Amino acid sequence: MNSKTSDQTPDGGQRPAGGADGSLGEQLRRAREARGVSLREISEQTRITMRHLEAIESDDYKHLPGGIFNKSFIKAYARHVRFDEARALELYERTARARGEYSDEVATTPQRSRIYTGDPSRSPMITAALSAVIVGILILIVYAGLHYYRRTESPADATPTPTPSMTGGAAATTDATQTPQPGATDALKVAIKSNNEVWLRVMVDDETARDNPGVVWPAGQTREFTPQQKLTLNYARSMTGAFDVTVNGVGLKVPAETRPGISQELVITRDNYRQYAQ
């Protein structure tokens, strides 16, 4: 007696959830073919690699970076073929749930699986609330540390400016003005170079960079940014080491893990970038 259900493929796997119109990959492929667009054209316009586009059309999310990167790729694909972006994300999340995966972390690790499946009675709302509390505590600790650091450094910075009477005349004053002193208003100059093909998203002063909303950088590409306050860099943990970051001429060592999960975030400011110096 055949025990396979209609939701299973011949090899025993789960079929992608998509309803009568087919899976997400099938619908995107049909929308692309209806517009007469090739995968190569989409890759050139969205900067998403052919390998990732083929994985989307095959509903094979294991070969995507995971997390927010998957959603970004799917939205970009759908937008290019004039497919409803909200519908595309809904089908993607439905497929992820049908496979027992989490849409925010499709490419799960063994450690992540044990955390979420070990206690099935825990509500996702409770987990989200606890996560928010922990993040809030960490932000308060960082803010308190920065405030303390600035207070301890301010007496040393409050050095009196030399005057003619203190230094013996106008000549000494001229020498003092010729010596530039670093100030808190110095602008950040951030240079990012990709060593291999890597997906990066750059936010300058809490605004997504116009020329880099989240694209795949080819190997050997260098881009420069000049934020006034901070620069936020999103990348996959597996891509650590695939790119170099230099701030004001100082090379940084990009941490492999800044927070739990696949998606990592590095925030660079005038006050903290030297702690990442190599």
Side-chain angles (χ1 to χ4, degrees), residues 25-61:
E26 293 172 350
Q27 295 187 45
L28 289 176
R29 177 178 53 77
R30 288 200 298 266
R32 173 179 64 79
E33 293 175 348
R35 293 182 56 81
V37 180
S38 67
L39 284 179
R40 178 64 62 185
E41 293 178 58
I42 297 178
S43 177
E44 292 174 353
Q45 292 295 324
T46 63
R47 306 305 297 275
I48 302 174
T49 64
M50 291 284 292
R51 176 169 57 89
H52 289 152
L53 292 175
E54 291 170 351
I56 291 174
E57 287 197 350
S58 302
D59 299 295
D60 187 6
Y61 305 135

Side-chain angles (χ1 to χ4, degrees), residues 139-157:
I139 292 175
L140 288 176
I141 293 175
V142 172
Y143 177 80
L146 290 175
H147 182 69
Y148 176 78
Y149 173 78
R150 290 172 180 171
R151 289 187 60 185
T152 56
E153 288 295 315
S154 58
D157 295 338

Side-chain angles (χ1 to χ4, degrees), residues 207-221:
E207 293 185 3
T208 302
R210 293 182 179 179
D211 60 338
N212 196 79
V215 298
V216 176
W217 292 26
Q221 183 171 6

Side-chain angles (χ1 to χ4, degrees), residues 46-100:
T46 63
R47 306 305 297 275
I48 302 174
T49 64
M50 291 284 292
R51 176 169 57 89
H52 289 152
L53 292 175
E54 291 170 351
I56 291 174
E57 287 197 350
S58 302
D59 299 295
D60 187 6
Y61 305 135
K62 298 189 297 297
H63 291 86
L64 297 180
I68 62 173
F69 305 107
N70 290 14
K71 293 184 177 181
S72 178
F73 286 5
I74 290 171
K75 287 180 64 178
Y77 187 120
R79 186 184 310 116
H80 194 78
V81 298
R82 304 292 177 83
F83 190 87
D84 188 346
E85 297 178 32
R87 174 63 175 166
L89 291 179
E90 177 186 354
L91 290 174
Y92 162 68
E93 292 178 355
R94 186 185 305 174
T95 301
R97 288 195 300 268
R99 295 175 176 176

